Amino acid sequence: MKKFLVISLLLVISLVIVAAELVIYTSDSFAGGIGKVIAPKFEKVYKCKVKMISFGSMGDVLARIIAEKNSPKADVVIGLNPQQLQKAIKEGVLEKYRPVNSKNIVYKSLVTDYGTVYDYGALAMIYNVEKIKNPPRSFKDLLKPEYKGKIVLIDPRTSSTGLTFLMWTIAAFGEDDAMEYWKQLKNNVLMFTSGWSAAFKMIETGEADIIVSYATDGAYSMYKYGSIKYMPVIFEEGAYVLEEYASIVKGAKNLALARSFLEFILTPDFQKEVPLNQWMMPVINVELPEVFKYVPTFKKILKVKPDVNDRIDEVLKKWEKAVIG
């Protein structure tokens, strides 16, 4: 009888472990890319299920988490940029947690209490070398008549990449002058997509010749095509670096599993997948693929004033007024 009870108890424990499910909210690009690679790894190590739900862009993801504030359905959110992270903190939708593995992060300035950085990369304009023979080298170059209708940008209200590009212009010009710049730039823009994936698809299909993306896209082009078809340009004004964060949702039903996931993303098992799946830079020391020698270097990094991150809704309204009217 005692042996039967022990076996029954072990069976119950086994079923509980198997039934554990980590719910992650993220963007389409993460879920459709590196998410497919790292989720099985985490499931194998922690004997659980990972349910990855994407809502298009990270702006949509953040809006969903805020809407579910009083009845959270996600355990982890992954893909927040610094501005979105700050907004999520102000909204009170994140759980405070600093992983033990944060000690592995190369740049200690990226360590925070509410978000765990898992990659970073400089923004760049990328252009199709087969179509653009005289590429833009500065923000002001984008205003030239020759680029009219050839540029696709990303809506900063819905996309992490789009918001970061807006921050880049503010860092380059200052807030007020950046809005004046946008009033001119919109005239050359073919369209604004809701997210990065849609913009990149447009340059791949030939609908766009120039888009905002990342400095690693030259490495991506070499890796996929054997030549650099999509050339990245970091503007003369200086580079702007984006970091992406994962956080625990406040009220997460699987808190222990969520903490384990944040520890996991700072291990070599996760980080070695970042370069060829995220096309970003890993945050711990792992060996980079050979094609990453095609990633351009930069000497100057631009930053926005700290208060800009605290006023992101106000800044976006200014952008709307400048671009939409």
Side-chain angles (χ1 to χ4, degrees):
M1 183 68 178
K2 186 176 180 181
K3 184 177 180 181
F4 175 76
L5 288 173
V6 171
I7 293 173
S8 298
L9 181 59
L10 289 173
L11 181 61
V12 169
I13 293 172
S14 176
L15 289 172
V16 168
I17 292 173
V18 171
E21 181 179 73
L22 181 73
V23 179
I24 298 175
Y25 279 8
T26 189
S27 65
D28 286 351
S29 59
F30 186 94
I34 191 173
K36 292 181 178 180
V37 179
I38 58 92
K41 288 187 176 188
F42 187 79
E43 289 174 335
K44 183 177 180 180
V45 172
Y46 290 92
K47 311 300 181 187
C48 68
K49 293 293 181 182
V50 173
K51 184 177 182 180
M52 201 167 293
I53 304 173
S54 61
F55 295 99
S57 67
M58 284 310 299
D60 298 325
V61 174
L62 180 55
R64 178 62 68 98
I65 290 172
I66 293 172
E68 294 177 354
K69 182 176 180 178
N70 296 324
S71 183
K73 295 177 175 59
D75 300 306
V76 170
V77 54
I78 185 163
L80 298 171
N81 70 16
Q83 290 75 36
Q84 292 164 336
L85 177 65
Q86 191 63 32
K87 183 175 181 178
I89 293 170
K90 286 178 68 177
E91 291 285 347
V93 294
L94 301 182
E95 190 80 35
K96 187 176 181 180
Y97 182 69
R98 181 177 292 195
V100 175
N101 283 339
S102 292
K103 66 180 185 295
N104 298 330
I105 296 174
V106 175
Y107 298 108
K108 303 306 178 187
S109 61
L110 300 182
V111 178
T112 73
D113 286 329
Y114 285 93
T116 300
V117 66
Y118 61 91
D119 68 17
Y120 71 95
L123 250 64
M125 296 305 293
I126 68 168
Y127 64 94
N128 186 328
V129 297
E130 296 172 0
K131 293 185 176 183
I132 301 295
K133 303 304 179 183
N134 183 33
R137 299 295 177 187
S138 67
F139 281 109
K140 291 182 180 178
D141 280 352
L142 284 183
L143 303 179
K144 291 180 177 179
E146 63 191 273
Y147 303 128
K148 186 175 179 65
K150 297 181 178 180
I151 303 169
V152 167
L153 296 181
I154 307 170
D155 195 325
R157 297 167 300 178
T158 57
S159 165
S160 176
T161 304
L163 181 56
T164 305
F165 183 72
L166 172 58
M167 294 299 108
W168 193 9
T169 62
I170 291 173
F173 295 110
E175 191 171 329
D176 291 338
D177 287 344
M179 299 308 159
E180 291 301 315
Y181 171 76
W182 276 97
K183 288 178 182 179
Q184 301 175 66
L185 179 61
K186 68 180 181 181
N187 297 320
N188 271 6
V189 176
L190 175 64
M191 71 173 294
F192 290 90
T193 62
S194 63
W196 175 88
S197 295
F200 198 83
K201 185 176 181 180
M202 288 186 73
I203 199 170
E204 286 194 307
T205 58
E207 296 173 84
D209 296 339
I210 303 171
I211 68 167
V212 58
S213 191
Y214 296 91
T216 52
D217 282 350
Y220 168 83
S221 186
M222 182 61 71
Y223 180 79
K224 185 170 183 179
Y225 303 107
S227 63
I228 299 183
K229 183 177 180 181
Y230 307 127
M231 182 71 74
V233 178
I234 296 176
F235 285 157
E236 293 169 355
E237 289 89 349
Y240 193 91
V241 177
L242 163 72
E243 309 100 42
E244 294 186 293
Y245 294 84
S247 301
I248 298 174
V249 177
K250 193 168 186 178
K253 294 180 176 62
N254 294 296
L255 184 58
L257 206 54
R259 287 176 173 173
S260 295
F261 184 79
L262 263 59
E263 297 289 353
F264 171 71
I265 67 176
L266 295 178
T267 64
D269 264 357
F270 182 104
Q271 288 291 304
K272 70 182 182 182
E273 303 296 348
V274 166
L276 296 182
N277 289 286
Q278 281 291 91
W279 293 98
M280 296 280 272
M281 303 297 291
V283 297
I284 71 171
N285 283 318
V286 293
E287 186 176 354
L288 291 174
E290 177 70 16
V291 292
F292 266 60
K293 68 183 180 182
Y294 296 103
V295 177
T297 58
F298 45 86
K299 295 179 180 179
K300 183 180 180 182
I301 296 179
L302 302 176
K303 293 182 179 293
V304 296
K305 293 180 180 179
D307 72 297
V308 172
N309 291 339
D310 296 327
R311 297 184 296 102
I312 197 62
D313 289 336
E314 175 191 337
V315 172
L316 286 172
K317 285 179 181 177
K318 286 184 177 181
W319 179 87
E320 282 183 348
K321 185 176 180 180
V323 175
I324 301 171

